[in-house]
Amino acid sequence: MRMLICGGGTGGHLFPGIAVAEEVLDSVPRSEVLYVATERETDAKVLRDKPFPFVVLKSEGIKGKTVRQKLGALLRMPASLWDAWRIISRFRPDVVLGVGGYVTGPPLLAAWLRRIPTCIHEQNSVPGLANRLLGRLVKRIFVSFPGSEQRFPARKCFFTGNPVRKEVRALSGGEKIGDNFTLVVMGGSLGAHSINTMMMEAAQIMRTTVPAGFVVIHQTGRQDSKSVRQAYKEAGIPARVASFFSQMPFVLAKADLVVGRAGATSLAELTVMGKPMILIPYPHAADNHQEINADWLVEAGAAIKCREDETSGAELAALIVELADNDRKRREMADRAHRLGEPAAAKKIVRHCLDLCGDNAIM
């Protein structure tokens, strides 16, 4: 099977695509994968060491843009479609999978015009604009949250869960790495300035209240790494701070508690690994999907939700200390999170893609 996977711009779109690509290469004889990504630095950083090639497609989104930017994106669309057509002509895929982001549109449209089987994966509880439009064209739609199929043609929808990378699956359900109590703070692959700010305030309060052996691992994004590192230093809290951790699954394996956003891919990895969470949904996410993502885990007892505009650093500090001191509560949250995980999501998607390919699947 020759599979073309398109999507990117954030880790939330890249990592599910990578998980499916890895599963194809591991489980389908004589298979090949080509990944179509955006021009963003994040895409190249994440994809450069993977066991499959990737190409960059120039394209632009329109949601949340000014009128002038939207016009520019629309004018660019024919060139993007032509570039996607040429990529497909060279690679000759048997199936094309879109995993989210504006870069998915041109390859899926080009494949549809050439009658190549197409499918999409929707990570979030509320589908984005691109996937809602593409859902009318593709053969199959894979969803990650119960209820999101209501926004697509029902006959095309299949619940698979959100694919997670091999490294995450390998660490699923295993013992925590390390003896210290470890708090992992993450704002997604691009960081989160407001979470960084709250944690800098919280650090000054926690300096005298956290248990012995308390350490922090904090992914800040490029903007705040120096100031966050200094805040922990001044508070006397041992901390490992970086703008980006390329081996995040191994970082999460050390976590006793995680503070972060409620992006679907992060939640998928955290549930598979069975980690208790304090979630601070990004308030400006499209269609408020992070809030809805978080509610799913809160209702299951796997997470606690804090609204960004209603939570101070002091309140966050108090919640972290409360959970750090309550092993029973954390274990209960971890168990409920683990029950929600879908470690076989990538396998399910690959099976569907093999079915779409028919006789071409193992040629």
Side-chain angles (χ1 to χ4, degrees):
M1 177 171 68
R2 299 171 66 85
M3 175 183 276
L4 187 147
I5 300 175
C6 49
T10 68
H13 293 314
L14 290 163
F15 295 142
I18 290 169
V20 173
E22 291 171 340
E23 182 62 30
V24 169
L25 295 177
D26 287 346
S27 64
V28 183
R30 299 184 297 280
S31 58
E32 294 183 49
V33 172
L34 177 66
Y35 202 108
V36 179
T38 74
E39 299 174 278
R40 288 189 179 182
E41 181 183 346
T42 300
D43 292 35
K45 186 182 295 185
V46 169
L47 291 168
R48 67 167 60 104
D49 295 325
K50 299 304 175 187
F52 49 84
F54 75 94
V55 295
V56 169
L57 179 65
K58 294 182 179 180
S59 59
E60 299 176 27
I62 59 174
K63 190 165 184 177
K65 301 292 183 68
T66 65
V67 173
R68 186 173 181 176
Q69 289 171 328
K70 288 180 180 178
L71 180 59
L74 291 171
L75 291 173
R76 173 67 195 167
M77 201 168 290
S80 298
L81 181 60
W82 173 243
D83 290 342
W85 188 279
R86 293 172 62 192
I87 290 169
I88 288 175
S89 295
R90 289 194 296 268
F91 184 63
R92 295 177 290 109
D94 299 310
V95 63
V96 177
L97 169 67
V99 291
Y102 52 81
V103 75
T104 60
L108 284 166
L109 181 56
W112 177 76
L113 290 170
R114 298 173 70 144
R115 299 186 178 180
I116 297 169
T118 55
C119 46
I120 56 174
H121 177 261
E122 175 55 57
Q123 290 97 42
N124 286 300
S125 52
V126 182
L129 176 62
N131 270 359
R132 289 201 300 270
L133 295 174
L134 292 167
R136 303 173 186 176
L137 304 181
V138 300
K139 294 282 188 182
R140 296 188 188 180
I141 302 164
F142 311 123
V143 299
S144 304
F145 286 83
S148 58
E149 72 278 359
Q150 297 174 11
R151 298 170 184 262
F152 290 116
R155 61 185 173 81
K156 297 182 179 183
C157 290
F158 299 87
F159 178 81
T160 61
N162 205 335
V164 297
R165 295 168 285 173
K166 280 196 297 187
E167 309 97 285
V168 175
R169 297 198 300 273
L171 296 165
S172 170
E175 291 296 318
K176 181 189 108 70
I177 296 174
D179 297 325
N180 291 325
F181 183 97
T182 302
L183 172 70
V184 172
V185 183
M186 50 190 275
S189 60
L190 302 180
H193 176 68
S194 59
I195 291 180
N196 295 340
T197 301
M198 276 192 273
M199 283 305 303
M200 285 190 283
E201 180 185 345
Q204 302 307 313
I205 297 166
M206 293 191 298
R207 63 195 306 167
T208 59
T209 56
V210 293
F214 183 92
V215 299
V216 177
I217 303 176
H218 190 142
Q219 178 174 280
T220 62
R222 286 183 298 177
Q223 187 176 359
D224 298 320
S225 58
K226 289 183 179 179
S227 55
V228 170
R229 190 177 294 112
Q230 183 62 29
Y232 288 124
K233 183 178 180 180
E234 291 175 359
I237 296 175
R240 181 182 169 198
V241 178
S243 59
F244 179 77
F245 291 105
S246 60
Q247 297 297 325
M248 199 63 182
F250 298 100
V251 171
L252 292 176
K254 299 177 181 181
D256 293 278
L257 178 65
V258 177
V259 172
R261 292 299 195 192
T265 298
S266 294
L267 298 186
E269 296 188 344
L270 290 167
T271 54
V272 165
M273 296 181 76
K275 298 297 179 179
M277 297 161 251
I278 298 173
L279 299 177
I280 307 172
Y282 179 53
H284 308 296
D287 303 309
N288 201 30
H289 69 258
Q290 285 208 8
E291 185 97 13
I292 299 170
N293 292 352
D295 286 342
W296 182 59
L297 275 86
V298 172
E299 289 168 8
I304 295 171
K305 182 178 72 173
C306 298
R307 288 191 172 89
E308 182 177 304
D309 60 350
E310 298 176 359
T311 307
S312 67
E315 290 168 325
L316 181 59
L319 186 54
I320 291 169
V321 172
E322 178 186 340
L323 288 173
D325 287 335
N326 193 335
D327 291 347
R328 181 178 176 181
K329 176 66 173 177
R330 291 198 320 277
R331 284 196 299 269
E332 181 181 291
M333 292 171 68
D335 179 63
R336 294 188 177 190
H338 196 248
R339 293 180 201 173
L340 297 175
E342 291 285 346
K347 287 183 180 294
K348 294 177 184 178
I349 290 173
V350 171
R351 288 194 201 106
H352 280 286
C353 290
L354 287 168
D355 185 46
L356 286 172
C357 290
D359 293 339
N360 293 328
I362 56 174
M363 291 178 62

